[in-house]
C-alpha cells in the first residue's frame, strides 16, 4: 500500500466499515490491480471515473526548466495511463451508451482517438478512404466505433439542454466550464463537417458479411508487451471479442437511423439493406395508430387489415378474418385476445349491439386455442353455461371451417375431437348436446363406438342435475362484486366437493384477488410427478382448479368415506381440465 493510501486509512479510522477509494496512481504501481478492481461488484471509483482520471492525468501539460508550459510528454507513464483508460473501456465492451452517459465529449473524443492510434489506423488518412474489408479486424472495428460515436454525438448535441445556474461556491469553476464548453463546440464543429464521411464509412460497414473483433484487456496487454505487433498478434488476428456481423449491422442501422431522422432526410435507398419489411411494419403500425387506413388497400399487412375492419365497423368481415386465421395462423394470439378485450370493454361501457360480435370472437379464439393445445378461457366456459342454439351452430361452423379434414394432421384432428367432447360435457341442455353429436364433423371425426359411449354418458349425466348449484357468473360478470368476503369464499373452497361449485368459487376469488388459491389449504397434496406439470399451467385459474380437483379427489380415495358419485364427478372434471390444457388424462390414481 502506498504512503498516501496508508494516510487515508489512518484518517478514516473513525469509519472502519468504509473502504478507502483507490487512487489513480496505484494502478500504475500494480499491473493486476485494475483487473481485480473492475471485477468487484461495486468498485470505487466506478469504471467511467477511472477513465476520466487516467486521461486527465495523461493530458496534463508539463513545465520545462524555464517554467514554460509544454504539451503532455509522450513518456511511459502517460502511455500507460492511456492504455489503462482503454482497458477500462474494453471491460465495458465499448458500450457507447455507458460511455456517453459517464464521459464528456472531450474525454470520449480523446479515448476513441487513442483507440484509433493503438489499433494501427493509418494516420493522416481519411476514414472514408479506407477499405474496411482489407483492414485487420480490430482496426476496422476501431474505425466503426469512432464513426458511430461521431454521428451519435451529433444527434445528442441537437437535443436541448437545461442550463444550470452556478451558485456562489461554483464561481471559481466558471473558467474551467467555459474552457470545456469551447473545446466541446470545436469538437462538434469538426464532427459535423465530417458527418457525411462518417455516414459513408458506416454504410460501407453494412456491406461486410464477416465477423468483427474488438479489443479486450488481453489484446491491449499484448499491444503493451510488443507495440510492433499489429492488433494483438498478427494482421489477421481474431484474438479480440467476436462481434457477429448481424449484431454490428443492427447497431449501425440504429445509429444511421438516428442521424437521418435528425437531419430530416430518410432515404431507404441509402442504408436500408434488407430492412424494407420491417420499415413497412413500422409504417403500418403508425398508420393503424393514426387511423389513416383504407380497407381496400392491398398493401396492408394482417395487423393493418384487422385495425381497418374495426375502425370501419365491418364486424362481419372481422369475424370472417378470425375464422380464416384459424387455418392460416397469420395473426398472433395476443392480437386476437386484445381485439376481444377491446369489444368487451365497449360493451361494459354501455355500447350496444356488440354482444354477438363478442360471442363470435370468443368462439373463434377458443377454437384456435384448442387446435394449438392452449387453455380454453374462462369466458368461453361462461359462454357455454347457457348458450342459445345459434351460438352452438356457430361453434360447429367455426370448427368445420378451421379444420381442413383432407390436409390436417392427426394431431389437429385429435385436438378437435377433444374440443367437441368438451363442448358436449359443458352443455347442460340435452337438445344442444344432440345438435353437436348429430353434426357431420362430429360423426366424421369420432368412431361409432366412441360416439355411443359419449352419448350414453351425456344421457346419464342429464338425469342427475345438481339443483343446488349456484349459477355461474354471466359472460360479462368479471370482476365480481367487491363486497364478497374472500375469507368466506376460501372457507367454502375448502369444504366444497362439487366440481362446478369449486370452479365458480375460484372464478369469484380470481375476480377479487390474483393470488395462488391452491395454497389455501396446506393439506391439499398431489403426486410429485404432477406438481411441476400443474404449476407450469399459464392460466392461474386453471392451475388452481386442476390442483384442487386432483387434491380433493385423492383425499376422497384415501379416506374412503365419500359417495362414489361425488368422487367420480370430481375426477371426471379434473380429467377434463387436463385434456383442455393439452396434457394426457390422469388415470389409475387409485
Amino acid at each position: 500500500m502506498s504512503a498516501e493510501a496508508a494516510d487515508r486509512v489512518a484518517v478514516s479510522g473513525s469509519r472502519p466499515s468504509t473502504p478507502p477509494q483507490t487512487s489513480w496512481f496505484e494502478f500504475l504501481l500494480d499491473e493486476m490491480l485494475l483487473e481485480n478492481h473492475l471485477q468487484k461488484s461495486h468498485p470505487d471509483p466506478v469504471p467511467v471515473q477511472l477513465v476520466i482520471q487516467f486521461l486527465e492525468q495523461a493530458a496534463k501539460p508539463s513545465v520545462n526548466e524555464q517554467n514554460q508550459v509544454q504539451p503532455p510528454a509522450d513518456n511511459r507513464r502517460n502511455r500507460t495511463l492511456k492504455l489503462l483508460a482503454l482497458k477500462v473501456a474494453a471491460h465495458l465492451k465499448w458500450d457507447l451508451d455507458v460511455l456517453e452517459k459517464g464521459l464528456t465529449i472531450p474525454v470520449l473524443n480523446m479515448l476513441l482517438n487513442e483507440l484509433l492510434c493503438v489499433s494501427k489506423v493509418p494516420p493522416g488518412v481519411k476514414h472514408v478512404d479506407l477499405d474496411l474489408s482489407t483492414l485487420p479486424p480490430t482496426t476496422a472495428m476501431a474505425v466503426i466505433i469512432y464513426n458511430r460515436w461521431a454521428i451519435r454525438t451529433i444527434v445528442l448535441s441537437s437535443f436541448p439542454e437545461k442550463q444550470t445556474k452556478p451558485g456562489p461556491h461554483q464561481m471559481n469553476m466558471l473558467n474551467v466550464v467555459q474552457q470545456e464548453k469551447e473545446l466541446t463546440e470545436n469538437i462538434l464543429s469538426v464532427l459535423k463537417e465530417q458527418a457525411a464521411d462518417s455516414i459513408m464509412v458506416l454504410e460501407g460497414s453494412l456491406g461486410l458479411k464477416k465477423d468483427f473483433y474488438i479489443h479486450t484487456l488481453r489484446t491491449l496487454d499484448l499491444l503493451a508487451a510488443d507495440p510492433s505487433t499489429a492488433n494483438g498478434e498478427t494482421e489477421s488476428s481474431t484474438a479480440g471479442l467476436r462481434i457477429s456481423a448481424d449484431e454490428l449491422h443492427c447497431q449501425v442501422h440504429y445509429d444511421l437511423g438516428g442521424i437521418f431522422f435528425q437531419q430530416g432526410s430518410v432515404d431507404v435507398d441509402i442504408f436500408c439493406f434488407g430492412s424494407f419489411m420491417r420499415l413497412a411494419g413500422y409504417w403500418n403500425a403508425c398508420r393503424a395508430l393514426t387511423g389513416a387506413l383504407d380497407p381496400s388497400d392491398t398493401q396492408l399487412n394482417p395487423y393493418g387489415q384487422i385495425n381497418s375492419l374495426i375502425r370501419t365497423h365491418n364486424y362481419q368481415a372481422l369475424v370472417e378474418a378470425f375464422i380464416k386465421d384459424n387455418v392460416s395462423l397469420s395473426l398472433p394470439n395476443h392480437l386476437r385476445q386484445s381485439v376481444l378485450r377491446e369489444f368487451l370493454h365497449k360493451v361494459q361501457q354501455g355500447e350496444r349491439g356488440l354482444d354477438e360480435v363478442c360471442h363470435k370472437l370468443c368462439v373463434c379464439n377458443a377454437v384456435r386455442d384448442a387446435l394449438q393445445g392452449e387453455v380454453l378461457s374462462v369466458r368461453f366456459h361462461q359462454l357455454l353455461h347457457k348458450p342459445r342454439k345459434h351460438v352452438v351452430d356457430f361453434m360447429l361452423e367455426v370448427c368445420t371451417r378451421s379444420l381442413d379434414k383432407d390436409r390436417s394432421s392427426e394431431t389437429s384432428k385429435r385436438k378437435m375431437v377433444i374440443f367437441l367432447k368438451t363442448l358436449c360435457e359443458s352443455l347442460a341442455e340435452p337438445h344442444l348436446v344432440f345438435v353437436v353429436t348429430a353434426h357431420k364433423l362430429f360423426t366424421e371425426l369420432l368412431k361409432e363406438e366412441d360416439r355411443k359411449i359419449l352419448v350414453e354418458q351425456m344421457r346419464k349425466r342429464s338425469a342427475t342435475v345438481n339443483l343446488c348449484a349456484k349459477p355461474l357468473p354471466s359472460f360479462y360478470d368479471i370482476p365480481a362484486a367487491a363486497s364478497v368476503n374472500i375469507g368466506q369464499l376460501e372457507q367454502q373452497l375448502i369444504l366444497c366437493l362439487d366440481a362446478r361449485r369449486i370452479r365458480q368459487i375460484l372464478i369469484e376469488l380470481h375476480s377479487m384477488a390474483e393470488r395462488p388459491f391452491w395454497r389455501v389449504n396446506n393439506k391439499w397434496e398431489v403426486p410429485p410427478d404432477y406438481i411441476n406439470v400443474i404449476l407450469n399451467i399459464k392460466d392461474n385459474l386453471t392451475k388452481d382448479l386442476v390442483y384442487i380437483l386432483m387434491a380433493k379427489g385423492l383425499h376422497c380415495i384415501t379416506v374412503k368415506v365419500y359417495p362414489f358419485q361425488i368422487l367420480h364427478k370430481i375426477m371426471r372434471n379434473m380429467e377434463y381440465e387436463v385434456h383442455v390444457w393439452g396434457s394426457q388424462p390422469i388415470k389409475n390414481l387409485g
Side-chain angles (χ1 to χ4, degrees):
M1 181 183 294
S2 66
E4 182 177 332
D7 289 341
R8 286 202 310 274
V9 173
V11 170
S12 60
S14 61
R15 295 176 297 158
S17 61
T18 304
Q21 187 182 72
T22 309
S23 251
W24 62 269
F25 62 83
E26 294 182 55
F27 295 98
L28 290 172
L29 305 176
D30 185 351
E31 293 182 356
M32 299 301 299
L33 182 59
L34 179 63
E35 196 163 347
N36 293 334
H37 179 82
L38 295 174
Q39 296 302 323
K40 294 179 181 177
S41 56
H42 300 288
D44 186 18
V46 297
V48 288
Q49 290 177 339
L50 281 178
V51 173
I52 294 171
Q53 292 176 12
F54 292 149
L55 293 182
E56 281 183 346
Q57 294 299 323
K60 275 189 175 181
S62 59
V63 180
N64 61 16
E65 296 177 354
Q66 290 78 31
N67 285 331
Q68 295 174 330
V69 178
Q70 302 291 323
D74 183 17
N75 53 30
R76 181 179 177 182
R77 169 188 174 277
N78 287 348
R79 286 195 296 271
T80 302
L81 285 169
K82 293 176 183 178
L83 184 64
L84 289 172
L86 291 172
K87 292 174 74 171
V88 175
H91 169 76
L92 297 173
K93 297 183 179 178
W94 304 97
D95 188 333
L96 290 180
D97 285 329
V98 175
L99 295 174
E100 286 165 348
K101 288 177 182 177
L103 305 178
T104 62
I105 290 176
V107 174
L108 193 44
N109 179 64
M110 183 179 178
L111 176 71
L112 296 182
N113 273 288
E114 190 60 30
L115 173 64
L116 295 174
C117 181
V118 300
S119 300
K120 311 297 182 183
V121 175
V125 179
K126 289 184 177 183
H127 293 176
V128 73
D129 295 330
L130 296 172
D131 184 355
L132 296 181
S133 64
T134 63
L135 294 177
T138 48
T139 303
M141 196 64 186
V143 173
I144 293 170
I145 291 175
Y146 178 85
N147 286 281
R148 279 185 57 218
W149 168 75
I151 64 171
R152 287 164 64 104
T153 302
I154 294 171
V155 174
L156 290 174
S157 68
S158 66
F159 298 158
E161 292 184 6
K162 183 179 179 181
Q163 299 296 326
T164 57
K165 186 176 181 179
H169 64 288
Q170 295 175 310
M171 296 303 293
N172 59 342
M173 295 292 293
L174 282 179
N175 289 336
V176 176
V177 172
Q178 185 61 31
Q179 291 176 3
E180 183 175 312
K181 183 178 180 182
E182 292 176 358
L183 182 56
T184 299
E185 289 176 352
N186 291 336
I187 294 172
L188 283 173
S189 177
V190 174
L191 295 179
K192 289 176 181 177
E193 289 178 4
Q194 299 175 350
D197 287 353
S198 293
I199 291 172
M200 290 182 67
V201 169
L202 295 177
E203 289 170 355
S205 71
L206 296 175
L208 301 178
K209 305 303 180 184
K210 62 181 181 180
D211 291 338
F212 296 82
Y213 291 84
I214 192 170
H215 277 304
T216 61
L217 275 72
R218 175 175 174 265
T219 59
L220 291 170
D221 277 334
L222 290 171
L223 282 173
D226 185 6
S228 63
T229 302
N231 303 319
E233 292 172 336
T234 67
E235 290 193 358
S236 60
S237 170
T238 56
L241 175 66
R242 187 180 71 85
I243 307 294
S244 70
D246 287 342
E247 184 178 358
L248 181 69
H249 290 173
C250 285
Q251 288 283 353
V252 173
H253 275 301
Y254 176 83
D255 296 330
L256 283 172
I259 189 70
F260 280 120
F261 277 110
Q262 188 266 339
Q263 292 179 346
S265 57
V266 180
D267 186 345
V268 296
D269 290 333
I270 293 179
F271 69 97
C272 290
F273 296 94
S275 297
F276 298 109
M277 289 185 65
R278 179 174 294 180
L279 287 175
Y282 291 148
W283 179 52
N284 278 322
C286 292
R287 294 171 71 198
L289 291 173
T290 59
L293 291 173
D294 180 3
S296 63
D297 188 353
T298 57
Q299 298 297 320
L300 289 179
N301 62 11
Y303 289 90
Q305 292 171 357
I306 294 299
N307 278 286
S308 173
L309 294 173
I310 293 174
R311 291 182 182 277
T312 56
H313 304 287
N314 193 347
Y315 301 142
Q316 183 177 351
L318 176 65
V319 172
E320 186 69 19
F322 269 49
I323 297 175
K324 291 180 179 178
D325 182 66
N326 283 355
V327 178
S328 64
L329 304 178
S330 58
L331 295 175
N333 207 28
H334 64 80
L335 173 65
R336 295 170 58 116
Q337 298 296 340
S338 176
V339 171
L340 174 58
R341 285 194 296 269
E342 181 178 343
F343 278 90
L344 290 169
H345 179 72
K346 290 180 179 180
V347 172
Q348 291 166 351
Q349 292 298 313
E351 194 168 334
R352 297 181 178 180
L354 296 179
D355 295 66
E356 186 176 358
V357 179
C358 290
H359 294 166
K360 288 185 175 181
L361 293 178
C362 182
V363 170
C364 291
N365 285 348
V367 175
R368 163 80 172 263
D369 289 339
L371 288 174
Q372 293 192 307
E374 300 290 339
V375 178
L376 297 182
S377 69
V378 174
R379 203 173 301 277
F380 176 70
H381 288 299
Q382 290 174 314
L383 183 61
L384 293 179
H385 183 51
K386 287 185 177 180
R388 288 172 290 178
K389 182 178 180 298
H390 77 272
V391 174
V392 176
D393 288 337
F394 179 74
M395 290 181 187
L396 294 171
E397 178 192 348
V398 174
C399 290
T400 303
R401 295 180 58 189
S402 300
L403 189 68
D404 187 336
K405 295 182 290 297
D406 296 328
R407 290 184 291 181
S408 293
S409 65
E410 289 301 318
T411 301
S412 297
K413 292 179 181 179
R414 239 184 351 259
K415 290 177 179 177
M416 183 60 76
V417 167
I418 293 173
F419 180 77
L420 292 173
K421 287 183 177 179
T422 300
L423 193 56
C424 291
E425 293 170 352
S426 303
L427 295 171
E429 299 292 336
H431 72 280
L432 293 179
V433 176
F434 177 77
V435 170
V436 177
T437 56
H439 194 269
K440 181 180 179 182
L441 180 66
F442 187 90
T443 58
E444 287 179 348
L445 291 180
L446 269 78
K447 296 178 181 178
E448 184 176 359
E449 183 180 351
D450 293 334
R451 291 200 306 273
K452 289 180 179 179
I453 294 174
L454 183 61
V455 170
E456 182 63 19
Q457 289 175 346
M458 296 300 101
R459 187 187 64 79
K460 290 180 179 179
R461 191 195 68 179
S462 63
T464 56
V465 178
N466 189 345
L467 300 178
C468 300
K470 182 180 177 183
L472 285 170
S474 71
F475 190 75
Y476 301 106
D477 276 350
I478 297 177
S483 60
V484 179
N485 187 291
I486 293 180
Q488 292 177 348
L489 287 174
E490 289 180 341
Q491 186 67 18
Q492 292 179 34
L493 187 64
I494 293 173
L495 299 176
C496 184
L497 286 175
D498 182 85
R500 281 184 174 271
R501 180 59 183 153
I502 290 171
R503 181 196 294 275
Q504 178 200 343
I505 293 171
L506 285 171
I507 290 174
E508 294 179 21
L509 285 170
H510 275 269
S511 71
M512 293 183 288
E514 193 61 36
R515 63 171 183 254
F517 290 102
W518 59 271
R519 295 180 178 176
V520 167
N521 188 346
N522 58 13
K523 293 185 179 180
W524 286 338
E525 295 180 356
V526 302
D529 293 342
Y530 288 96
I531 289 178
N532 290 335
V533 178
I534 295 175
L535 297 186
N536 281 330
I537 299 175
K538 294 180 180 179
D539 182 76
N540 291 328
L541 189 148
T542 305
K543 181 191 304 180
D544 288 343
L545 183 59
V546 173
Y547 189 101
I548 293 170
L549 288 178
M550 180 178 286
K552 284 180 178 287
L554 291 174
H555 177 70
C556 291
I557 293 173
T558 302
V559 298
K560 300 180 180 179
V561 296
Y562 293 97
F564 174 77
Q565 290 85 352
I566 297 178
L567 169 62
H568 177 71
K569 187 174 182 181
I570 289 177
M571 299 304 289
R572 188 186 67 188
N573 275 271
M574 184 269 295
E575 280 194 25
Y576 150 75
E577 288 296 335
V578 175
H579 266 304
V580 167
W581 48 267
S583 182
Q584 296 298 319
I586 312 296
K587 294 181 180 178
N588 302 322
L589 290 176

